[in-house]
Amino acid sequence: MSPAELLTLLVGTPSVSGEEGPLADLVQNLLATQGFQVQRQGNNLWFSFGKPGGARLLLNSHLDTVPPSAGWEGDPFTPVWHGSRLQGLGANDAKGCVTAILLAAFDLAAQPLDGEVVVALTAEEETGGQGIATILDQLGPLDGAVVGEPTGLRVCAAQRGMLLLKCTARGQSGHVANAQMLGAENAIHKAARDIAKVAAMEFPAHPLLGSQKAQVTQITGGLRRNQVPDACEFFIDLRTGPDQDHDALCADFQRQLESEVAIHSKRYLPKGTDPGHAIVRAALQAAKKAGPVGSGTTSDWAFLGGIPAVKAGPGDTFRSHSPNEYLTIQELEAGADFYAKLVPAFFKMQVPHEA
């Protein structure tokens, strides 16, 4: 099966998050015909090959897609080639990466390797659900990982995390006409003061990720137009860097704001890998890049714990989640070549895992 045929087959099998079963079935059967012993939990698939006892490298990407947005020309679930471009839901994010990893695995499995490759193709990445985090403990010890996402084969050695804070301003309810006389405290006014503080906050810049601002993304308050509000709730979204601790950040917000501050979500942890680590150097060598970059988007890297990792793959992040997303055959072939070259380079650079 050619690279173009494999990509067309995967893109033509719908796999919106939570509905990856048909695609998981297809990929599992395909791998079995290639002689791989595939393990499965839910719609997560994984298999390994190479030299046991050496260093172990994870290649990971996700099978699921977001639902199609408005604005598609034609059926998003029907892949269509426009010259060298394949248009279809998931072509860019991230079935191009899945296809490239599979092509590299087919090539590498026939070669002598100085270590063991673990390939994990997982579910529900787009919803933060039952994916890589649920099977990580079954993959065994890992010395490095590559997370396949559309980065234009730029090597991301840092990735922002996501901290969501729920803030509640408390006030005293009363009739608007009597508010000044009663000294009723307006919760929306309190929240407004805090929101202005949030907008003015500055955070240290990261060398690969740059600077970031906290964003207030939702606000709710008030019961009646003639009643002083006694509560106002708003949410803060802060995309964090590898040197920021989510609990410490929450405590810092609480010190600066009048409102009550609580963590709504902190599970998407920021990640960073030393640029001198073997996984970064091997990826840069395979991609022929001078140095790593940072990524502002989250991925399954957030759930890999302390495993040294990079994020890299064919495609363009700005096409993701947009109508008429596509991948070119040149990008696909370059992605397969990238993964195939990265693996042996990593094994040559990496000290084997000690049990």
Side-chain angles (χ1 to χ4, degrees):
M1 187 181 297
S2 71
E5 290 171 333
L6 181 56
L7 179 61
T8 304
L9 183 62
L10 299 190
V11 174
T13 306
S15 57
V16 172
S17 292
E19 302 172 7
E20 304 94 335
L23 181 58
D25 292 341
L26 184 153
V27 174
Q28 184 175 14
N29 291 334
L30 174 65
L31 290 167
T33 65
Q34 297 291 321
F36 294 104
Q37 299 296 316
V38 183
Q39 299 187 70
R40 179 168 178 169
Q41 178 177 296
N43 291 322
N44 301 296
L45 308 175
W46 68 98
F47 62 96
S48 62
F49 59 90
K51 178 184 175 183
R56 303 182 81 242
L57 175 63
L58 172 67
L59 301 181
N60 163 246
S61 193
H62 60 94
L63 298 172
D64 62 316
T65 72
V66 294
S69 63
W72 275 86
E73 299 170 1
D75 179 11
F77 296 107
T78 301
V80 178
W81 284 95
H82 298 282
S84 63
R85 296 183 175 186
L86 179 68
Q87 178 180 300
L89 184 65
N92 181 75
D93 184 15
K95 293 182 180 182
C97 295
V98 171
T99 304
I101 287 173
L102 288 174
L103 292 169
F106 299 159
D107 181 31
L108 290 165
Q111 302 178 22
L113 297 173
D114 294 326
E116 187 175 8
V117 180
V118 180
V119 176
L121 305 175
T122 50
E124 298 185 47
E125 188 272 347
E126 298 290 3
T127 56
Q130 305 300 309
I132 188 68
T134 66
I135 65 168
L136 189 61
D137 61 351
Q138 300 181 61
L139 303 182
L142 296 164
D143 299 286
V146 183
V147 178
E149 291 285 347
T151 69
L153 297 185
R154 290 180 291 275
V155 177
C156 300
Q159 172 182 280
R160 286 207 181 280
M162 180 175 67
L163 174 64
L164 297 181
L165 299 174
K166 178 181 177 181
C167 304
T168 306
R170 304 291 183 186
Q172 180 182 355
S173 183
H175 197 294
V176 168
N178 302 322
Q180 188 169 343
M181 181 174 59
L182 295 174
E185 186 174 28
N186 189 310
I188 291 180
H189 293 177
K190 180 186 286 188
R193 292 193 296 271
D194 280 344
I195 290 170
K197 290 178 185 177
V198 171
M201 287 181 178
E202 300 287 342
F203 300 90
H206 184 273
L208 294 181
L209 295 167
S211 60
Q212 86 273 23
K213 300 283 285 186
Q215 300 292 332
V216 174
T217 56
Q218 287 182 308
I219 182 169
T220 306
L223 295 174
R224 298 288 187 275
R225 289 188 297 276
N226 64 350
Q227 182 180 21
V228 178
D230 61 0
C232 181
E233 181 180 280
F234 61 95
F235 285 85
I236 298 172
D237 184 322
L238 178 61
R239 300 305 166 112
T240 55
D243 50 357
Q244 294 175 299
D245 177 83
H246 285 180
D247 291 313
L249 281 167
C250 179
D252 191 50
F253 274 98
Q254 185 63 83
R255 282 191 293 271
Q256 297 186 59
L257 302 184
E258 299 176 65
S259 302
E260 301 167 5
V261 180
I263 292 176
H264 183 72
S265 176
K266 63 176 182 177
R267 62 192 299 263
Y268 280 95
L269 298 175
K271 293 294 179 179
T273 302
D274 184 337
H277 192 279
I279 191 60
V280 181
R281 292 186 290 115
L284 291 172
Q285 178 179 304
K288 299 180 180 178
K289 304 292 185 184
V293 299
S295 171
T297 59
T298 60
S299 73
D300 274 343
W301 186 3
F303 307 120
L304 292 182
I307 301 166
V310 295
K311 179 166 70 176
D316 187 332
T317 186
F318 293 106
R319 296 179 209 151
S320 299
H321 303 186
S322 64
N324 307 316
E325 69 170 292
Y326 67 88
L327 191 77
T328 70
I329 189 64
Q330 293 85 2
E331 289 172 323
L332 175 61
E333 291 173 345
D337 184 66
F338 164 72
Y339 294 125
K341 288 179 176 175
L342 184 156
V343 169
F346 173 77
F347 290 146
K348 285 184 172 62
M349 298 176 184
Q350 174 67 18
V351 176
H353 176 84
E354 294 183 2

